[in-house]
């Protein structure tokens, strides 16, 4: 059974940093592109970032470019999102998601999400 | 960046109704479109990919169609479990943007 479990969310002050993790199981993690998607409270979904299966390619939404860094450890079956210079508008539930068809841009499995709150 | 626009934003319907949600892309995306369902407090779940391919385990009352810039999600006979919010998402190229969502409510 495919499982994605996020952790690392919490309350952080504006300008602070946080690192999210996503532990994957039930599939060959190193074969799939992986994604982060977020959802601000009461709002819609926003694609944040992607990383290729071996980590040799990444992409970011303009809203987080230069502040967030996606990475992965295929030996640990874990996806990460390092978030720096956090702003109030980064407050959201952050989901990790698996690429459909190994490297496609749609998401066939999602984690349950972890809440990040940026506030003083 | 490609913008995705869904209509309507809210839809009121009854159990047994046939409903259609529309998603328009600001430029052509071929058939690189997915649909998701999200219930309150839950992660989204994949319904349709590549415009019309039904994800495994999704009931056959859900169907998708379209290509280019205009797409539709149809539910042939609404069931109580279908009242939720629906999102389209293109994956033609990064950034992979979502529509703003359509909330399907019980009439």
């Amino acid at each position: 059974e495919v499982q994605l479990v996020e952790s690392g969310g919490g309350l952080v002050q504006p300008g602070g940093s946080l690192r999210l993790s996503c532990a994957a199981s039930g599939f060959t993690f190193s074969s799939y592109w992986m994604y982060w998607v977020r959802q601000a409270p009461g709002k819609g979904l926003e694609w944040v970032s992607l990383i290729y299966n071996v980590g040799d390619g990444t992409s970011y939404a303009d809203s987080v470019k230069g502040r967030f860094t996606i990475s992965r450890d295929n030996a640990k079956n874990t996806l990460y999102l390092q978030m720096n210079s956090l702003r109030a508008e980064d407050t959201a539930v952050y989901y990790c998601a698996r690429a459909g068809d190994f490297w496609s841009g749609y998401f066939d499995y999602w984690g349950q999400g972890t809440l990040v709150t940026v506030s003083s | 960046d490609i913008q995705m626009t869904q209509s309507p934003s809210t839809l009121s319907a009854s159990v047994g109704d046939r409903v259609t949600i529309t998603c328009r892309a600001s430029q052509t995306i071929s058939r690189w479109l997915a649909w998701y369902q999200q219930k309150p407090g839950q992660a989204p779940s994949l319904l349709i990919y590549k415009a019309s391919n039904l994800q495994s385990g999704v009931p056959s009352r859900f169907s998708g169609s379209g290509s280019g810039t205009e797409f539709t999600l149809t539910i042939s006979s609404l069931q109580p479990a279908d009242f939720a919010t629906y999102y389209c998402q293109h994956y033609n190229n990064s950034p992979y943007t979502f529509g703003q969502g359509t909330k399907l409510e019980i009439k």
Side-chain angles (χ1 to χ4, degrees), chain B residues 3 5 20-21 23 30 36 38-39 48 50 52 57 60 62 71 102:
Chain B
Q3 308 304 315
T5 304
T20 297
I21 299 169
C23 179
S30 185
Y36 303 88
Q38 187 178 33
K39 297 180 180 179
I48 301 280
K50 207 172 181 183
S52 62
S60 59
F62 291 90
F71 302 85
T102 294

Side-chain angles (χ1 to χ4, degrees), chain A residues 39 47 59 104-105 107 110-111, chain B residues 36 38 43-44 87 89 91 94 96:
Chain A
Q39 186 169 37
W47 174 84
S59 182
S104 191
F107 319 124
W110 298 64
Chain B
Y36 303 88
Q38 187 178 33
Y87 295 92
Q89 176 234 340
Y91 52 103
S94 172
Y96 302 140

Side-chain angles (χ1 to χ4, degrees), chain A residues 33 35 37 39 43-47 50 59-62 95 101 104-108 110-112, chain B residues 1 32 34 36 38 42-46 49-50 55 87 89-91 94-100:
Chain A
W33 290 13
Y35 296 87
V37 177
Q39 186 169 37
K43 302 298 184 182
L45 300 167
E46 180 186 15
W47 174 84
L50 80 87
S59 182
Y60 299 91
D62 286 346
Y95 297 101
D101 289 338
S104 191
Y106 68 92
F107 319 124
D108 63 353
W110 298 64
Q112 84 290 349
Chain B
D1 297 354
W32 305 118
Y36 303 88
Q38 187 178 33
Q42 297 184 17
S45 63
L46 177 66
Y49 62 96
K50 207 172 181 183
Q55 173 68 354
Y87 295 92
Q89 176 234 340
H90 88 84
Y91 52 103
S94 172
Y96 302 140
T97 47
F98 290 87
Q100 81 279 15

Side-chain angles (χ1 to χ4, degrees), chain B residues 4-96:
Chain B
M4 306 300 293
T5 304
Q6 287 181 234
S7 60
S9 296
T10 306
L11 180 57
S12 296
S14 302
V15 172
D17 284 354
R18 178 185 180 91
V19 299
T20 297
I21 299 169
T22 298
C23 179
R24 290 185 174 87
S26 61
Q27 56 187 269
T28 184
I29 57 170
S30 185
R31 293 174 56 81
W32 305 118
L33 185 99
W35 290 97
Y36 303 88
Q37 177 192 69
Q38 187 178 33
K39 297 180 180 179
Q42 297 184 17
S45 63
L46 177 66
L47 298 173
I48 301 280
Y49 62 96
K50 207 172 181 183
S52 62
N53 290 274
L54 194 67
Q55 173 68 354
S56 175
V58 174
S60 59
R61 62 181 180 271
F62 291 90
S63 63
S65 65
S67 66
T69 62
E70 186 151 339
F71 302 85
T72 59
L73 172 71
T74 298
I75 310 172
S76 61
S77 178
L78 273 174
Q79 299 302 302
D82 301 337
F83 292 96
T85 299
Y86 293 84
Y87 295 92
C88 64
Q89 176 234 340
H90 88 84
Y91 52 103
N92 185 71
N93 56 280
S94 172
Y96 302 140

Side-chain angles (χ1 to χ4, degrees), chain A residues 13-33:
Chain A
Q13 292 188 338
S17 298
L18 212 54
R19 188 176 85 155
L20 306 183
S21 299
C22 171
S25 61
F27 65 101
T28 305
F29 181 69
S30 60
S31 296
Y32 288 81
W33 290 13

